[in-house]
Amino acid sequence: MSEEAIDWTDFQKVELRVGTIIEVQDFPEARKPAYKLRIDFGDEFGIKHSSAQITDLYAKEDLLGKQVLAVVNFPPKQIGPFMSECLVTGVHREDGTVVLVSPEMAVPNGTRLA
């Protein structure tokens, strides 16, 4: 994979914000196992919905209250019958499972990646 250089202004356009997962539902209509998430990004961005293929490593009850890092300024994307409004970030392990990216310590919802 080639690395295409971007400049600082390109990076600044991406709104990577911390939010807290406040609701987790199964998403049986998804092609691959996934959850439907409601995430609170604070007063400025509000509550947004996202789907996430993270069922291999995370139980629904373990996700409630978890802070995650997400892109909040992508246009909404239709995923089957569900409208995803943000992209939760994660990294793939060698086995293909996804580990969520989250702050090491609690921060206010809506905090931007520094």
Side-chain angles (χ1 to χ4, degrees):
M1 184 168 135
S2 67
E3 294 181 28
E4 180 181 339
I6 63 172
D7 63 30
W8 183 249
T9 57
D10 290 331
F11 179 72
Q12 286 182 307
K13 293 176 188 175
V14 181
E15 289 282 342
L16 283 158
R17 301 284 179 153
V18 172
T20 300
I21 298 172
I22 59 172
E23 186 178 342
V24 183
Q25 295 180 348
D26 291 325
F27 190 4
E29 304 90 354
R31 285 188 295 227
K32 295 181 180 179
Y35 293 130
K36 294 188 278 189
L37 307 174
R38 287 184 68 225
I39 305 167
D40 182 357
F41 290 98
D43 292 338
E44 185 177 355
F45 294 95
I47 295 172
K48 293 188 176 281
H49 298 87
S50 185
S51 69
Q53 296 173 357
I54 55 173
T55 59
D56 290 327
L57 297 180
Y58 298 95
K60 290 189 294 187
E61 57 272 9
D62 296 332
L63 291 168
L64 284 175
K66 183 172 184 61
Q67 288 196 305
V68 293
L69 186 67
V71 178
V72 297
N73 64 333
F74 280 147
K77 181 177 181 179
Q78 189 75 43
I79 301 173
F82 182 73
M83 185 63 73
S84 184
E85 301 170 308
C86 64
L87 175 69
V88 176
T89 61
V91 293
H92 285 100
R93 297 192 322 180
E94 287 182 17
D95 63 2
T97 57
V98 175
V99 176
L100 292 171
V101 174
S102 61
E104 183 178 327
M105 297 177 190
V107 297
N109 289 335
T111 300
R112 187 171 186 168
L113 179 71

